[in-house]
Amino acid sequence: MSFLLRAPAPLPLAAPAGDGPGNPWFSWQYIQDNADTILSKLGFHIGITLETVVIALLVAVPLAVLAYWIRPLTGPILALSGVLYTIPSLALLALLAPLLGATNRGTVLIALVLYALLLLVRNALTGLTQVPADVKDAASGMGYGRFGRLWHVELPLALPGIVTGLRLATVSTVALVTIGAIIGQGGLGDLIMGGFWNNFYKAEILTGTVLCVGLALVFDLALVGLGRVLTPWSRRRAT
């Protein structure tokens, strides 16, 4: 596992003179001098987070529907996704690296998708099981079959649960992407790790950390807005 010991490419080791003496936590000069690198890492972080959530959602919703329709499968599906979620991130990367490549972007992507599954499957299944029985009976009485009822009634009513799972999975993924820094595929985590390798360069560490937290907040707020748009009836019921 020699890739775990590989240090990131070095960045500046000390704060520029214009930002005061020593090694300050914040440096405008560092941001200006390394803007291209910072934007590149931010773009990578955004891209792999979106890919992860989309892929995980496409896998998780069918699994939740399967568990919803065939109740004996509920336990095994939740148990399997739960076991995957409990695997330590470093161990999972170490298991995937020999198969996909020690510095392959796909290694991080697959690991992130596996971690997102539990949150999405569990919340989607919760949303489906909370659909009132009388609503399902009414839909059946209107002539909807199993698939028609799922598409037109059950999934729309399960959207609040699905969006909740999506929010949790997205915020979790933003944080977990940083672990990929150990193989040079960590987005903003590369800045954080680089700061530690560069003699604890505080400005680099703080820049990566603040951008990571800010990105999680932006994604979460965007999903809150999306949930309000997709479920207008929930707002009317709340008022």
Side-chain angles (χ1 to χ4, degrees):
M1 298 283 87
S2 59
F3 67 88
L4 295 177
L5 303 177
R6 188 179 295 113
L11 290 176
L13 298 177
D19 286 299
N23 182 20
W25 280 105
F26 180 76
S27 169
W28 272 119
Q29 191 64 47
Y30 162 77
I31 295 174
Q32 293 171 357
D33 292 344
N34 298 277
D36 290 342
T37 298
I38 294 171
L39 290 175
S40 174
K41 299 299 182 183
L42 177 61
F44 178 94
H45 211 111
I46 293 172
I48 199 168
T49 298
L50 292 175
E51 285 183 60
T52 296
V53 171
V54 170
I55 294 172
L57 188 64
L58 292 175
V59 175
V61 171
L63 284 176
V65 171
L66 188 63
Y68 175 62
W69 280 350
I70 307 174
R71 295 306 170 90
L73 292 180
T74 301
I77 289 174
L78 291 178
L80 178 60
S81 56
V83 168
L84 292 173
Y85 192 80
T86 60
I87 299 175
S89 52
L90 293 179
L92 186 56
L93 286 178
L95 291 172
L96 293 174
L99 301 175
L100 303 174
T103 58
N104 192 329
R105 184 177 185 274
T107 301
V108 178
L109 180 61
I110 290 176
L112 294 173
V113 169
L114 293 178
Y115 283 128
L117 281 179
L118 176 64
L119 298 172
L120 289 168
V121 170
R122 180 170 290 173
N123 282 277
L125 181 57
T126 299
L128 287 168
T129 56
Q130 289 179 346
V131 176
D134 57 343
V135 173
K136 292 186 285 187
D137 291 340
S140 298
M142 293 173 63
Y144 285 115
R146 169 174 280 192
F147 287 97
R149 189 178 65 188
L150 175 71
W151 183 254
H152 293 284
V153 178
E154 292 168 327
L155 280 178
L157 291 178
L159 274 176
I162 295 173
V163 171
T164 297
L166 198 57
R167 290 176 59 192
L168 293 172
T170 302
V171 172
S172 174
T173 298
V174 170
L176 286 171
V177 170
T178 59
I179 301 298
I182 64 172
I183 60 173
Q185 299 289 332
L188 296 171
D190 293 341
L191 298 180
I192 299 171
M193 182 71 77
F196 281 102
W197 281 103
N198 288 337
N199 198 27
F200 200 73
Y201 186 25
K202 295 178 181 178
E204 188 175 1
I205 295 171
L206 185 65
T207 299
T209 302
V210 169
L211 286 175
C212 191
V213 173
L215 183 61
L217 290 174
V218 169
F219 273 135
D220 191 50
L221 290 174
L223 289 171
V224 169
L226 178 64
R228 291 174 65 85
V229 170
L230 294 178
T231 59
W233 62 85
S234 64
R235 296 201 306 275
R236 290 196 297 267
R237 185 172 54 191
T239 57

